[in-house]
Amino acid sequence: MTDYIYNSRGNAVGYIRGRYIHTISGQAVVQLNGTHVHKLSGQYVGELHEQMVLNKHMGNFGNIGNPGNPGNTGNPGNPGNRGSRHYGFPDVSAELFGN
């Protein structure tokens, strides 16, 4: 089963494969370190929370370095819209996925 990542409008913008989050088209854009989300360059951007990437104002967890690119894993399909969700923190998916 694929674990999808959604934006605050409820649209699927990516999915988790291993310790990476990929765009819906399969391009790796971020790496996971527990619930901490870092760009592939290593820069911290937010937290994984309820299938969203949010800026929870927890500080800066630094740069964990570039692990290389795991490649394109393909398109798993689109699960559709799950409905708008807001958890009291800014959604940073537009910064990561460009949506």
Side-chain angles (χ1 to χ4, degrees), residues 39-59:
K39 291 183 179 180
L40 282 184
S41 64
Q43 174 189 358
Y44 174 77
V45 292
E47 293 293 310
L48 185 61
H49 178 80
E50 299 291 329
Q51 296 178 294
M52 293 175 65
V53 180
L54 304 175
N55 179 352
K56 294 177 90 175
H57 308 292
M58 296 177 64

Side-chain angles (χ1 to χ4, degrees), residues 12-85:
V13 292
Y15 62 95
I16 299 172
R17 182 74 39 93
R19 50 176 284 221
Y20 297 95
I21 298 178
H22 300 260
T23 64
I24 287 294
S25 62
Q27 176 187 1
V29 289
V30 298
Q31 54 184 318
L32 296 171
N33 185 15
T35 60
H36 307 316
V37 178
H38 298 260
K39 291 183 179 180
L40 282 184
S41 64
Q43 174 189 358
Y44 174 77
V45 292
E47 293 293 310
L48 185 61
H49 178 80
E50 299 291 329
Q51 296 178 294
M52 293 175 65
V53 180
L54 304 175
N55 179 352
K56 294 177 90 175
H57 308 292
M58 296 177 64
N60 187 341
F61 288 92
N63 189 313
I64 62 172
N66 184 333
N69 191 323
N72 189 312
T73 59
N75 184 332
N78 192 324
N81 189 296
R82 71 172 185 172
S84 180
R85 307 256 172 104

